[in-house]
Amino acid sequence: MSTDPNSLSARELAARIRRGELKAADVIRDTLDRVAKLNPQVNAIVQDCSEDAMAEAEALDARIARGEQVGALAGVPVTIKVLSDQKGYASTNSCRIFENVVATQDNPFLRHLRQHDAIAIGRTNTPAFSYRWFTTNNFYGETRNPHNPTLTAGGSSGGAGAAVATGMGHIGHGTDIAGSIRYPAYACGVQGLRPTLGRVPTFNHSSPDRGIGPQIMAVSGPIARRVDDLRLGLEGMAGYAADDPWSAPVPLEGPRYRRRVALVKRPGGIDTDPRILDDLERAANMFRLAGWEVDEPTEIPEIREAVELQIDLWLSDGHADKMAAAQAEGDPGAIALLSHYAERAAAVDVKRFSELFMRRSALIRAWRGFLQDYPVVMMPVSAELPFRQDADLEGGDAIARLWEAQLPQIAIPLLALPGISISSGVIDGVPSGVQLVTAPWREDICLEAGELLEQGFGAPALVS
């Protein structure tokens, strides 16, 4: 085909396919050719969907030729994280112990994407159990950062981030319980949106219901090279679904809001890297030039405690079962993380579990109040530039340092807020970026503010 699909936004690509100017089959074939060329270098896509993808593309072209109405994502190539149900494929979460967990129906967010005529071209790698910020495992191997193979591609949606950065799909599906959308986007030099819980329905019919912590903190959302692709991806994934008890039919657009930003350079007192501080200052000036108010408040609501609560709700609850599964899988990263928090997990009793929810309510209340005054809070994605690959295998001190650096990511799911990671560019093979946080259900603010910064920093370049 004469037009490179990656030269077009997802919205323009779908529009050209709907008008018959491009064939979906040509777009998908071109994308699959790119996967064949580039995936061996990064190992982002670990389950092949090419046969199904081509069949879906040809069927879409036939519908268009008959004059039928097709969806807003018509023919747009997307990837799906291997932890989510896709009919006919194993929901492995990158673990051998789950290789026979084959889905008989799609996760609801994928149903919605298909209803909008997106086409899944492949399924992307994660760390085992999606526990880490490093996408390596004993089953599929290591996903390499497309900019610098010595650095992590992020996690747990590292395969999605690397696939998007290299043009293997316009939109990558990711999940986020502690930064697993925002951090891979940051590490791979692209854009990533963590929606509000309930915005994007998710449920695996192949597996039992998850524990309460993951139920109230884990979300699905899009990773893409363009903010408008995030917007279209969110529109495609979102909507009410009866099989997700947290799903809510909330409009994607909210009321007018005050253009005011709280610049928070060192949330919780973290030691933010000088390059990231410079990114934040540059971003603040972009907002000022666009007529926004930018303040640097001397105090923000408690955020460090939110990390402590998040750890207990995610890793401490059901810790013994998590450790048994990690040992059965034999994954060193999962075992190292769970071992690091084993003593803490043993101290969580019924009384502590109740206290977690009472404190969570208080912190959420404080942050919602703060976001009434400051509709956008801008802070680091991480205190550090992307980590060395597998830095968390260097011992307990290393794990503690990494989790300290990731405070701005880990806190946000506990606080039930949406957030977006915006790339500030890649220097000497090292990506960086900033994070924007808004009130619940105001992903539209994340996207509008993120688009402003994307224009200032420049849209991420395709890695070939």
Side-chain angles (χ1 to χ4, degrees), residues 432-445:
S432 185
V434 302
Q435 178 177 207
L436 307 176
V437 176
T438 62
W441 308 109
R442 294 312 306 263
E443 295 87 359
D444 57 329
I445 302 179

Side-chain angles (χ1 to χ4, degrees), residues 47 80-95 97-111 123 202-210 243:
Q47 289 183 0
I80 308 300
K81 192 173 177 180
V82 290
L83 58 67
S84 292
D85 278 0
Q86 180 175 341
K87 185 178 179 179
Y89 295 87
S91 301
T92 64
N93 211 351
S94 295
C95 296
I97 60 174
F98 301 136
E99 64 181 321
N100 295 320
V101 181
V102 177
T104 58
Q105 57 183 298
D106 290 337
N107 194 293
F109 80 83
L110 180 52
R111 286 203 310 265
R123 290 167 60 78
T202 183
F203 176 66
N204 276 348
H205 290 266
S206 67
S207 308
D209 279 294
R210 303 182 72 185
D243 40 4

Side-chain angles (χ1 to χ4, degrees), residues 11 72-73 112 116 230-239 252-253:
R11 198 177 300 274
L73 281 157
H112 289 179
H116 289 87
L230 295 181
R231 182 182 288 110
L232 187 61
L234 179 67
E235 291 168 1
M237 294 179 186
L252 287 165
E253 296 289 329

Side-chain angles (χ1 to χ4, degrees), residues 369-447:
F370 187 74
L371 287 159
Q372 286 188 309
D373 292 332
Y374 294 98
V376 174
V377 177
M378 182 165 63
M379 64 177 75
V381 180
S382 172
E384 297 186 18
L385 296 171
F387 306 134
R388 291 189 315 279
Q389 181 66 296
D390 290 334
D392 60 338
L393 301 183
E394 297 170 8
D397 289 345
I399 292 176
R401 191 201 94 226
L402 301 182
W403 280 68
E404 168 71 10
Q406 304 293 63
L407 177 148
Q409 295 173 64
I410 303 166
I412 300 309
L414 186 283
L415 298 169
L417 301 173
I420 191 170
S421 175
I422 297 295
S423 172
S424 61
V426 180
I427 299 175
D428 296 329
V430 181
S432 185
V434 302
Q435 178 177 207
L436 307 176
V437 176
T438 62
W441 308 109
R442 294 312 306 263
E443 295 87 359
D444 57 329
I445 302 179
C446 277
L447 293 163

Side-chain angles (χ1 to χ4, degrees), residues 178-437:
S180 289
I181 288 172
R182 293 161 290 150
Y183 191 62
Y186 170 78
C188 290
V190 293
Q191 327 288 35
L193 176 69
R194 173 197 159 83
T196 308
L197 177 72
R199 171 69 78 193
V200 174
T202 183
F203 176 66
N204 276 348
H205 290 266
S206 67
S207 308
D209 279 294
R210 303 182 72 185
I212 187 62
Q215 283 197 39
I216 64 174
M217 295 190 295
V219 300
S220 283
I223 297 174
R225 284 192 298 117
R226 303 169 178 87
V227 171
D228 190 55
D229 288 2
L230 295 181
R231 182 182 288 110
L232 187 61
L234 179 67
E235 291 168 1
M237 294 179 186
Y240 177 76
D243 40 4
D244 179 358
W246 301 99
S247 175
V250 179
L252 287 165
E253 296 289 329
R256 292 175 61 86
Y257 62 96
R258 183 177 178 182
R259 267 53 175 179
R260 190 183 192 197
V261 178
L263 172 60
V264 182
K265 297 177 181 176
R266 298 175 180 85
I270 60 172
D271 185 14
T272 306
D273 184 275
R275 179 176 160 195
I276 300 166
L277 292 174
D278 180 66
D279 290 339
L280 291 166
E281 285 288 1
R282 289 195 292 146
N285 286 332
M286 294 172 200
F287 280 118
R288 293 186 186 103
L289 288 171
W292 290 53
E293 301 173 64
V294 179
D295 297 335
E296 198 165 345
T298 55
E299 292 185 6
I300 65 170
E302 174 59 40
I303 192 168
R304 187 168 286 278
E305 185 184 359
V307 174
E308 301 304 310
L309 301 181
Q310 194 275 356
I311 292 169
D312 281 344
L313 281 173
W314 177 30
L315 296 177
S316 297
D317 185 31
H319 182 274
D321 291 338
K322 290 180 172 70
M323 179 60 86
Q327 290 172 337
E329 180 64 20
D331 184 79
I335 292 169
L337 176 64
L338 293 169
S339 297
H340 184 74
Y341 288 111
E343 184 176 342
R344 177 182 182 138
V348 176
D349 55 14
V350 173
K351 180 175 182 292
R352 170 61 178 159
F353 203 65
S354 177
E355 290 170 351
L356 292 175
F357 286 94
M358 289 188 288
R359 285 301 299 155
R360 177 176 179 267
S361 294
L363 296 183
I364 289 174
R365 187 177 304 110
W367 272 94
R368 288 188 175 190
F370 187 74
L371 287 159
Q372 286 188 309
D373 292 332
Y374 294 98
V376 174
V377 177
M378 182 165 63
M379 64 177 75
V381 180
S382 172
E384 297 186 18
L385 296 171
F387 306 134
R388 291 189 315 279
Q389 181 66 296
D390 290 334
D392 60 338
L393 301 183
E394 297 170 8
D397 289 345
I399 292 176
R401 191 201 94 226
L402 301 182
W403 280 68
E404 168 71 10
Q406 304 293 63
L407 177 148
Q409 295 173 64
I410 303 166
I412 300 309
L414 186 283
L415 298 169
L417 301 173
I420 191 170
S421 175
I422 297 295
S423 172
S424 61
V426 180
I427 299 175
D428 296 329
V430 181
S432 185
V434 302
Q435 178 177 207
L436 307 176
V437 176

